[in-house]
């Protein structure tokens, strides 16, 4: 951390800053520039609230040099994290595709979609059994019945399961059925929940909060890692901006930014990121071109009658065409995507 004193800071003001840091246990390196005195703070400064220094008389600016997230950062671990679940490797040179309905609605619906997306090359089946809906009157998911259905469908088509957990009480139940636990955008800063996931043996798929900065999102991942669970996948799913032509604004730039800051795999979810079926394919292509480790796509065979997010769900043949296009793009950047199963 570096503290820059005002041009005409008095000796007593500089002394007060040094004394404060000293009582907090830090070593200070003082240097005099042409106009300003600069104080370098040596030690682990992650617990300092920088505002406590910014308000001191004579201080003009305070900068952090190292990131406030430690375990999540590239400084801590240079190598990319690769998460291996059964025969699927997340974070390597294969772009992993997660696909399935927004919500598990019935066994028939899930089987139809699972068969289709697995044939097309998706390795992970998605579908919510517990749905975080804006309205309490909307379909809330089938609960445990939904978990049983998605597990059965994934096993039948040799896929992994990802499904959302909405609170910490649900963790043990969902862990019985899923391979990956999804944390929804609305829960990204539910800190007691994140800490509890630190104790889970299952990888966590952490969606970005609708108004979260990238730093806040990485700090949320830090909660999980610091609890002992190193297997976290970051997912950009669109943030809320002033734009109204799309449901959210998919922040493609978050992909390279997170990859620079962190060793964790980064996915993109253009379904929630745009909210409209006809925008999903172009944004999925863009995410892969930007270097995403994977994409999450909502697919429904009868979206007009879907119980949630029908408007943003791809039709099965659109999903096939997305997979074909994605393979070409992945190739161009030296990555691959699973082939179609015949
Ligand atoms: C979902 O994946 O269906 C979902 C609810 O996502 P998000 O938390 O990103 O809105
Ligand atoms: Mn959805």
């Amino acid at each position: 951390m570096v503290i820059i004193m005002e041009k005409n800071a008095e000796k007593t003001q500089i002394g007060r800053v040094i004394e404060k840091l000293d009582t907090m246990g830090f070593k200070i390196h003082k240097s005099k520039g042409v106009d300003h005195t600069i104080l370098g703070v040596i030690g682990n400064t992650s617990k300092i609230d920088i505002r406590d220094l910014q308000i001191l008389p004579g201080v003009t600016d305070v900068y952090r040099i190292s990131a406030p997230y430690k375990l999540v950062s590239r400084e801590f671990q240079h190598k990319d994290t690769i998460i291996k679940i059964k025969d699927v490797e997340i974070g390597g040179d294969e772009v992993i595709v997660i696909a399935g309905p927004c919500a598990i609605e019935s066994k028939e619906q899930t089987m139809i979609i699972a068969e289709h997306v697995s044939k097309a090359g998706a390795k992970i089946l998605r579908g919510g059994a517990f749905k975080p809906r804006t309205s309490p009157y909307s379909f809330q998911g089938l609960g445990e019945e939904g978990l049983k259905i998605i597990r059965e469908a994934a096993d039948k088509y040799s896929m992994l399961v990802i499904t959302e957990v909405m609170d910490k009480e649900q963790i043990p139940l969902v862990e019985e059925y899923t391979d990956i636990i999804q944390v929804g955008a609305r829960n990204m800063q539910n800190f007691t929940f994140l800490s509890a996931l630190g104790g889970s043996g299952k990888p966590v798929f952490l969606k970005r909060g609708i108004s979260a900065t990238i730093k806040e999102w990485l700090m949320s991942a830090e909660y999980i890692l610091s609890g002992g669970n190193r297997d976290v996948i970051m997912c950009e799913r669109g943030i809320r901006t002033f734009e109204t032509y799309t449901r959210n604004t998919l922040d493609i730039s978050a992909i390279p930014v997170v990859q620079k800051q962190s060793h964790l795999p980064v996915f993109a979810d253009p379904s929630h990121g745009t909210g409209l079926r006809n925008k999903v394919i172009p944004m999925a292509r863009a995410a892969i071109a930007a270097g995403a480790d994977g994409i999450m796509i909502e697919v429904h065979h009868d979206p007009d009658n879907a119980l949630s997010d029908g408007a943003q769900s791809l039709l099965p043949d659109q999903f096939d065409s997305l997979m074909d296009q994605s393979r070409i793009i992945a190739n161009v950047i030296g990555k691959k995507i699973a082939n179609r199963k015949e």
Side-chain angles (χ1 to χ4, degrees):
M1 178 176 281
V2 168
I3 300 165
I4 302 173
M5 302 302 296
E6 282 168 5
K7 210 167 171 178
N8 302 314
E10 292 162 18
K11 270 205 171 117
T12 51
Q13 293 176 326
I14 299 170
R16 188 165 161 208
V17 178
I18 293 175
E19 195 188 307
K20 183 172 173 75
L21 290 160
D22 187 56
T23 54
M24 290 165 87
F26 294 103
K27 286 205 163 52
I28 315 299
H29 179 269
K30 181 171 143 190
S31 53
K32 181 96 187 79
V34 183
D35 291 322
H36 300 269
T37 295
I38 296 167
L39 305 173
V41 187
I42 299 150
N44 180 358
T45 57
S46 54
K47 287 206 180 88
I48 298 182
D49 180 342
I50 65 170
R51 294 172 305 167
D52 291 341
L53 300 168
Q54 279 164 338
I55 51 152
L56 293 178
V59 171
T60 180
D61 256 317
V62 182
Y63 299 103
R64 278 190 196 283
I65 296 172
S66 46
Y69 37 86
K70 292 272 173 258
L71 304 174
V72 156
S73 74
R74 278 239 186 246
E75 285 165 36
F76 176 78
Q77 180 185 311
H78 185 68
K79 258 188 1 327
D80 285 345
T81 284
I82 296 181
I83 301 172
K84 196 163 166 26
I85 314 165
K86 297 175 188 163
D87 58 349
V88 178
E89 268 190 16
I90 297 171
D93 57 9
E94 179 175 347
V95 177
I96 300 296
V97 178
I98 301 174
C102 177
I104 301 301
E105 299 169 8
S106 68
K107 184 163 163 181
E108 194 202 356
Q109 169 243 22
T110 309
M111 288 293 175
I112 294 172
I113 299 168
E115 179 178 13
H116 192 97
V117 298
S118 103
K119 253 196 191 145
K123 294 208 165 167
I124 306 176
L125 183 63
R126 66 148 288 143
F130 296 101
K131 293 303 303 172
R133 304 304 298 276
T134 303
S135 163
Y137 307 114
S138 300
F139 176 61
Q140 305 284 312
L142 296 180
E144 187 169 4
E145 183 52 27
L147 296 174
K148 290 189 174 143
I149 294 172
I150 192 173
R151 182 76 262 169
E152 191 184 333
D155 288 346
K156 179 158 183 202
Y157 296 105
S158 308
M159 299 178 82
L160 300 180
V161 169
I162 181 168
T163 196
E164 180 163 354
V165 178
M166 281 172 48
D167 61 52
K168 74 174 194 248
E169 282 69 39
Q170 283 171 356
I171 298 173
L173 171 71
V174 181
E175 274 177 337
E176 281 180 43
Y177 296 93
T178 200
D179 298 298
I180 304 171
I181 294 173
Q182 176 170 326
V183 175
R186 292 154 192 84
N187 254 325
M188 190 210 81
Q189 284 191 314
N190 183 341
F191 299 119
T192 49
F193 179 41
L194 298 175
S195 296
L197 289 166
S200 172
K202 302 276 179 181
V204 175
F205 190 81
L206 181 64
K207 294 252 189 137
R208 181 178 181 181
I210 58 172
S211 61
T213 64
I214 294 174
K215 192 192 271 180
E216 288 165 340
W217 182 24
L218 289 164
M219 290 303 288
S220 291
E222 186 77 11
Y223 266 88
I224 304 170
L225 269 77
S226 64
N229 186 351
R230 295 291 170 98
D231 293 339
V232 173
I233 302 154
M234 308 294 282
C235 179
E236 163 62 41
R237 49 77 71 204
I239 49 175
R240 182 164 290 171
T241 67
F242 45 80
E243 185 49 67
T244 55
Y245 277 15
T246 47
R247 179 181 183 187
N248 291 294
T249 298
L250 188 70
D251 181 7
I252 296 284
S253 63
I255 298 164
V257 171
V258 172
Q259 284 171 337
K260 170 109 190 350
Q261 297 300 320
S262 175
H263 51 84
L264 296 173
V266 188
F267 275 51
D269 168 356
S271 305
H272 293 87
T274 62
L276 297 162
R277 185 178 310 137
N278 59 5
K279 311 285 184 296
V280 171
I281 293 180
M283 294 311 280
R285 289 193 305 241
I288 294 169
D293 295 290
I295 49 174
M296 171 179 261
I297 306 287
E298 287 185 340
V299 179
H300 204 291
H301 65 297
D302 182 16
D304 291 347
N305 292 304
L307 296 181
S308 72
D309 285 347
Q312 66 191 34
S313 298
L314 290 188
L315 288 154
D317 59 346
Q318 291 180 311
F319 183 69
D320 293 344
S321 121
L322 167 63
M323 291 299 285
D324 291 341
Q325 297 175 35
S326 299
R327 280 186 197 99
I328 299 168
I329 295 171
N331 234 321
V332 171
I333 57 165
K335 292 192 176 181
K336 54 180 191 220
I337 294 188
N339 287 327
R340 256 196 94 75
K341 292 189 206 157
E342 286 317 327

